[in-house]
Amino acid sequence: MHVFKPTAVALKEKLELFPGSAVSPAVVKLTFALPDPASSLHSLGFDLGLGDFVRFRFPGTRARAYSPTSHPSEVGSFTIVIRVYPGGAVSPKLAALNLSDTAEVTGPLPVPWLTRKRYHGVKHIAAVAFGVGITALVSLLRSELLSDTTETITVLWCLRKKDEQAIGSDLDDYSADKRVMFEYVFSRETDGKRADAELISTTFGHLNAKETAVVCVGAKASERECYLWFTSLGYKQRLLKMGIRFGGRTKSPLWTSIPK
């Protein structure tokens, strides 16, 4: 697998997590075999604790980015969770794959001249996920719980319906960890709420803004608006920032926890 060279990967397992409804598209969990069965995402250079991702494409389509949810040390395969958008360019084709069918993937991304900087020294993480964007938090949570400085992680997950919680099956490992607190809001339920500055204040107001780093994952427009809400409430530090002037890439706690 290479950031500039598309590589064919074969579908190994497929599991429907959510069948879809009138208001929410279906969600499918897909596991692909790596070309070298002795390799892992870690050995291929992926630092999932910094949000590294893959891009899938099919002939005649634009590439789409997905965050692997499997552990980077898993040998021979990797897993993604996708929301299947009707009329989408890539997700319906991925969902239609049969076992042993192949798709083209590139990674690790972002490209080498862009580097991510992880904010060091904060005690608390404030995270907001919109819908299937929760999958991008799986590896970040896994990584931050290995940090010596992280004391608490508060996650606000914004969904449409309660039955969509099945998307987050990979989060079960964190439910027993006392450092992690999950809050949920459902916009399409009878007593539904939508994310806004007031909800952010209510959910994260117990945290000291100067000791907290924030991360928002979901559609780009939702992410931008979410960061503005946090900024208006005095939360200035982002857990991850991307740029071209950060110099050498500092590895995440997840990366350094894996034996060489």
Side-chain angles (χ1 to χ4, degrees):
M1 197 178 298
H2 192 276
V3 65
F4 296 117
K5 183 180 179 181
T7 302
V9 291
L11 183 64
K12 187 177 179 181
E13 297 176 13
K14 180 164 68 172
L15 175 65
E16 184 179 70
L17 297 179
F18 177 69
S21 66
V23 298
S24 301
V27 177
V28 180
K29 185 176 185 177
L30 304 171
T31 299
F32 292 90
L34 290 168
D36 179 356
S39 67
S40 66
L41 291 182
H42 182 78
S43 70
L44 293 172
F46 284 80
D47 190 345
L48 300 186
L50 288 182
D52 283 0
F53 57 92
V54 295
R55 278 201 178 106
F56 278 88
R57 69 176 297 278
F58 292 89
T61 70
R62 296 181 62 183
R64 291 291 183 268
Y66 297 95
S67 298
T69 58
S70 49
H71 197 282
S73 65
E74 182 176 308
V75 176
S77 65
F78 69 96
T79 299
I80 61 172
V81 175
I82 67 168
R83 190 183 285 279
V84 187
Y85 294 100
V90 173
S91 60
K93 292 180 171 61
L94 285 172
L97 291 174
N98 296 312
L99 298 187
S100 299
D101 287 348
T102 61
E104 288 189 350
V105 63
T106 56
L109 290 156
V111 290
W113 55 84
L114 289 177
T115 59
R116 275 198 174 97
K117 182 179 181 181
R118 174 178 169 269
Y119 198 94
H120 288 275
V122 293
K123 296 181 179 179
H124 311 289
I125 307 297
V128 179
F130 296 91
V132 77
I134 194 70
T135 59
L137 281 185
V138 171
S139 291
L140 291 180
L141 288 176
R142 187 179 284 139
S143 183
E144 292 308 312
L145 288 172
L146 293 169
S147 170
D148 293 334
T149 60
T150 301
E151 296 181 3
T152 68
I153 301 176
T154 305
V155 180
L156 173 63
W157 190 8
C158 307
L159 295 162
R160 295 174 182 175
K161 304 286 286 184
K162 290 182 179 179
D163 52 6
E164 290 182 310
Q165 292 179 77
I167 302 171
S169 59
D170 290 303
L171 298 173
D172 292 344
D173 293 342
Y174 310 119
S175 59
D177 195 308
K178 295 181 179 179
R179 292 171 293 172
V180 184
M181 181 177 70
F182 288 94
E183 298 285 348
Y184 303 85
V185 291
F186 307 97
S187 61
R188 297 295 182 90
E189 296 292 346
T190 304
D191 57 346
K193 294 181 180 179
R194 291 183 178 274
D196 55 22
E198 181 179 358
L199 181 60
I200 297 297
S201 178
T202 301
T203 306
F204 303 102
H206 64 288
L207 300 175
N208 184 329
K210 293 182 179 180
E211 298 178 341
T212 302
V214 303
V215 57
C216 307
V217 290
K220 295 300 182 185
S222 297
E223 286 185 10
R224 287 194 296 269
E225 189 171 27
C226 186
Y227 281 123
L228 287 175
W229 293 332
F230 273 112
T231 301
S232 70
L233 295 169
Y235 295 85
K236 303 294 179 64
Q237 294 107 210
R238 295 193 187 188
L239 179 61
L240 297 176
K241 295 185 73 174
M242 186 183 292
I244 59 175
R245 295 186 294 274
F246 291 151
R249 199 180 198 211
T250 302
K251 299 299 185 180
S252 73
L254 180 57
W255 176 280
T256 56
S257 73
I258 299 173
K260 295 182 179 179

